[in-house]
Amino acid sequence: MKLILYRLKAVAATSLLCVFVSWTVPVSAQEDGAAETPISATISGEAAPDKATTIQDPTIPIEDLKQLLKPLTLEELQNEAAGWLLLLKNKVQEISKTEIAIKRQRRAIEAKDEAGKLVEEAKTKLVEAEKAVAAAPKNTPEYEEATKQVEAAREALKTAQTALEKAAEVAAALEADTSVQDALGEAQEEKEITEAEETLKKAKEAQQEIPPDSLRYQEVTEKIDALEVAIKDLEKAEDTLKATLPESPEYQDAKSQVDQARAVVKSAAKELTDTISVGGDSSASPDAETDVGAGTGSAYNEVDVENLQGGQAAGQQKLENVTTEIEKAAEEDKQLKTQLTVNVTNLQAEQTAITDRFKTVLDEVDTKGGDTTGYRKYIQAISAVEVDLKDKEGLGVRLVSWAQSDEGGMRWGTNLATFATVLIVTIIVAQFLGALLNAILARFSGVSSLFREFIVVVVKRGGIVVGVLLALTALEVSLAPILAVVGGASFVLAFALQSNLGNFASGLMLMVNKPFDVGDEVKVSGLWGYIKSINLASTTIQGFSGQIYTVPNNTVWGSVIENLTSDEIRG
């Protein structure tokens, strides 16, 4: 049911993909794989990953992880970094294998769809040709035309035969690829576990309709409890597997425990289904198991082109059977591909969580004088995002899965809400402080109106800038590169705009020292008039005949300033 729901949601979600494609989530691995950096070249010094202690819980809260890392020495931190690196590498390998399986599964589905389409077209042409032959008298032009239709139908059947053989070859190659089969097997396992969870949910609904004091109610309750325990045990086993280093004996033991737990879940789900079905309610029954790799079978190659003519009802029935088999196999493959896509999205969320904690370890290593260059380059290399635009349905499934993921849509939704909240609150606080400062400065007669307005503007706009920077941290944007760029740009602009900076500094001096204010009659640099306005770059003087003089502040501050209205009474 969840798979069907995902596919329905995918149709609606695909139209939104172009908007979110640069954000999403989904990493699409290159089939041939990128050049892999040797782990031995990435791990620093004599680090021993097997001595790492913080990897026991890969989902540990980052704040707790920071506290665990704080007392560790640099040597111990190197062990932790190496351990987290191996966890991340293992997760990336899982994602790559699953991505390859998705690509090849898509090709197999396309081959089957194409073969099914050609078989259907050939069947239609054959039926029409048979009708034309039956309706046309022999030795007539109509009969000759009908014969040509039969030949065209036979050619269409040959084309369909070729497509069927190609689909069979693709399926055979898919079955021969062990890594792809492992990914498909994992998808099938996840699908069966999902069905078991759905069975548990429906069984609980059916339980409500059974009399509580009946023997059947007790039997159903026991089976429900057994399935719940089995699912919890499976979750614990999977958590243990995630916390073990790949290619280690502990990892193999944990993998074996997971396989056993899955078998127990499937067995408990089947027993629960049988118990519910005995009472006449089979709604809790999961779908029949699908043979992984089942698809284009040998029956697809049994179309005898030479015998499909002249009223051969058996040939038409064979075509009908082949069409049905193709559609069934393609549908099963699509369900597996959907589960693969869901799996890879979940794996990417787990990769994001591991990467966040790995970066926390690396930050602590940097703080204590270690070198994390190799580790960070590895993170950067495996974090590249590629999107397979050919797989439209898969893109929709990825988007839906990403939006529902704790490390995907939920995380970014929370980040965006925090960003908006911080920005809005900061703007409101900055405006309030600006208004309060303006009211306070207005009470001091010695402060010029220009200086007061300047300070108020700086507080309001500076508060907004600070708010934006703080809000960006909620989006997990590092401020260090931004501040570095701003610092570099400021250094360049300082040389390019020396004269403007001089006017700016002189404007500040005029505001602070207040040799004149707006409306004063002054003599500056040979000019005589009234101060019309002052800004950070220049001072505007209005002459007695209405003329306007704009004087750079550097010139004003560097010359003799004679204020003729500094007192109320001129001598």
Side-chain angles (χ1 to χ4, degrees):
M1 293 299 295
K2 290 187 177 180
L3 291 174
I4 297 174
L5 181 60
Y6 268 113
R7 297 186 64 193
L8 291 175
K9 290 181 179 179
V11 176
T14 304
S15 60
L16 299 175
L17 181 66
C18 292
V19 179
F20 294 98
V21 66
S22 62
W23 289 56
T24 94
V25 333
V27 176
S28 179
Q30 294 289 344
E31 182 162 336
D32 295 333
E36 191 173 303
T37 303
I39 292 299
S40 59
T42 305
I43 295 178
S44 300
E46 300 296 330
D50 56 328
K51 295 182 179 179
T53 58
T54 58
I55 62 172
Q56 300 303 320
D57 181 11
T59 61
I60 181 174
I62 292 180
E63 295 300 323
D64 295 352
L65 179 61
K66 290 180 179 179
Q67 295 301 320
L68 291 176
L69 296 173
K70 186 177 294 184
L72 300 183
T73 64
L74 179 58
E75 181 180 356
E76 292 171 327
L77 287 172
Q78 294 290 6
N79 295 337
E80 300 300 325
W84 282 99
L85 174 64
L86 291 184
L87 281 182
L88 180 59
K89 176 178 177 287
N90 184 56
K91 193 62 61 179
V92 173
Q93 286 179 332
E94 290 185 56
I95 293 173
S96 296
K97 291 179 181 178
T98 309
E99 289 284 7
I100 293 172
I102 290 174
K103 288 178 180 290
R104 295 184 178 176
Q105 189 77 351
R106 175 174 59 81
R107 293 187 192 127
I109 292 171
E110 290 174 350
K112 291 173 186 177
D113 287 344
E114 180 65 19
K117 179 182 177 182
L118 292 175
V119 170
E120 188 66 31
E121 292 177 355
K123 184 178 67 175
T124 302
K125 289 181 179 181
L126 180 62
V127 171
E128 293 176 352
E130 294 291 344
K131 290 180 180 179
V133 169
K138 292 185 177 181
N139 301 323
T140 62
E142 290 80 6
Y143 186 82
E144 294 180 1
E145 184 65 28
T147 303
K148 292 180 180 179
Q149 291 185 20
V150 172
E151 292 298 326
R154 294 178 65 186
E155 291 298 324
L157 286 169
K158 290 180 180 179
T159 303
Q161 176 78 15
T162 303
L164 287 168
E165 292 172 354
K166 179 181 178 181
E169 291 175 359
V170 172
L174 196 65
E175 293 176 6
D177 192 324
T178 56
S179 63
V180 173
Q181 286 303 305
D182 289 342
L184 290 174
E186 185 68 24
Q188 181 64 26
E189 292 285 349
E190 291 294 336
K191 179 174 176 287
E192 292 172 355
I193 298 303
T194 301
E195 291 172 351
E197 293 173 347
E198 190 66 23
T199 297
L200 178 62
K201 179 181 178 182
K202 290 183 178 181
K204 288 183 176 180
E205 294 175 354
Q207 183 188 31
Q208 303 299 322
E209 301 176 0
I210 303 175
D213 55 349
S214 64
L215 179 61
R216 174 170 166 73
Y217 183 88
Q218 295 179 1
E219 293 177 353
V220 171
T221 301
E222 290 177 358
K223 300 301 181 182
I224 288 176
D225 293 342
L227 182 55
E228 286 182 333
V229 171
I231 291 176
K232 290 180 180 179
D233 290 342
L234 175 59
E235 292 174 351
K236 292 179 180 178
E238 289 176 339
D239 291 340
T240 302
L241 179 64
K242 293 176 183 178
T244 55
L245 291 175
E247 302 177 1
S248 64
E250 293 79 7
Y251 184 86
Q252 299 301 326
D253 292 341
K255 186 71 170 61
S256 177
Q257 292 295 326
V258 169
D259 292 340
Q260 294 177 11
R262 284 177 174 174
V264 173
V265 169
K266 288 187 285 186
S267 175
K270 186 177 184 304
E271 291 180 3
L272 177 59
T273 300
D274 294 341
T275 302
I276 295 294
S277 300
V278 169
D281 182 6
S282 59
S283 61
S285 300
D287 297 336
E289 292 189 2
T290 304
D291 181 18
V292 177
T296 309
S298 60
Y300 291 6
N301 296 320
E302 296 176 357
V303 182
D304 189 353
V305 176
E306 299 300 328
N307 294 328
L308 292 176
Q309 60 172 332
Q312 294 285 339
Q316 295 182 20
Q317 183 61 41
K318 183 177 290 187
L319 283 177
E320 185 68 33
N321 294 340
V322 169
T323 302
T324 302
E325 188 175 350
I326 292 175
E327 292 176 352
K328 180 181 177 181
E331 183 62 29
E332 291 173 352
D333 285 350
K334 288 177 181 177
Q335 290 184 359
L336 272 180
K337 177 175 163 294
T338 299
Q339 185 62 57
L340 281 170
T341 306
V342 174
N343 287 358
V344 80
T345 306
N346 294 335
L347 289 173
Q348 288 164 353
E350 294 173 7
Q351 176 188 333
T352 301
I354 292 175
T355 301
D356 290 343
R357 287 150 183 81
F358 188 19
K359 288 181 178 179
T360 302
V361 175
L362 297 182
D363 291 341
E364 189 68 23
V365 173
D366 288 336
T367 302
K368 295 180 179 177
D371 181 14
T372 61
T373 304
Y375 294 125
R376 295 190 186 276
K377 285 184 177 180
Y378 182 81
I379 292 175
Q380 183 179 6
I382 57 94
S383 298
V385 176
E386 295 180 5
V387 179
D388 186 2
L389 297 177
K390 295 180 181 179
D391 188 6
K392 296 181 180 179
E393 183 176 333
L395 291 176
V397 173
R398 288 174 186 266
L399 184 59
V400 171
S401 301
W402 177 84
Q404 296 175 346
S405 170
D406 290 338
E407 296 294 335
M410 302 297 293
R411 175 176 178 171
W412 279 100
T414 302
N415 290 348
L416 288 173
T418 305
F419 174 85
T421 302
V422 171
L423 187 60
I424 292 173
V425 170
T426 306
I427 291 175
I428 293 175
V429 171
Q431 299 302 312
F432 173 77
L433 291 178
L436 179 63
L437 187 60
N438 183 51
I440 293 174
L441 293 178
R443 296 177 177 272
F444 296 92
S445 58
V447 179
S448 66
S449 60
L450 179 62
F451 182 70
R452 185 178 73 250
E453 293 173 0
F454 171 75
I455 293 298
V456 170
V457 169
V458 168
V459 170
K460 289 183 177 180
R461 296 183 182 177
I464 295 175
V465 172
V466 172
V468 171
L469 293 177
L470 291 176
L472 286 176
T473 60
L475 296 179
E476 303 178 13
V477 176
S478 176
L479 297 183
I482 297 177
L483 297 178
V485 170
V486 172
S490 301
F491 184 77
V492 173
L493 291 175
F495 281 96
L497 304 174
Q498 292 185 45
S499 59
N500 291 333
L501 291 176
N503 289 327
F504 179 82
S506 298
L508 289 178
M509 296 301 294
L510 290 172
M511 293 178 191
V512 174
N513 291 279
K514 194 184 176 184
F516 51 76
D517 207 343
V518 175
D520 287 356
E521 181 182 354
V522 298
K523 290 181 179 181
V524 177
S525 298
L527 301 175
W528 188 358
Y530 293 95
I531 300 298
K532 183 176 179 64
S533 64
I534 312 171
N535 57 45
L536 290 176
S538 62
T539 299
T540 302
I541 301 175
Q542 182 176 3
F544 295 106
S545 300
Q547 62 271 42
I548 300 296
Y549 304 102
T550 301
V551 186
N553 285 337
N554 207 11
T555 302
V556 175
W557 183 249
S559 64
V560 176
I561 301 173
E562 184 179 355
N563 191 338
L564 303 177
T565 55
S566 58
D567 295 324
E568 296 181 2
I569 300 175
R570 186 186 304 180

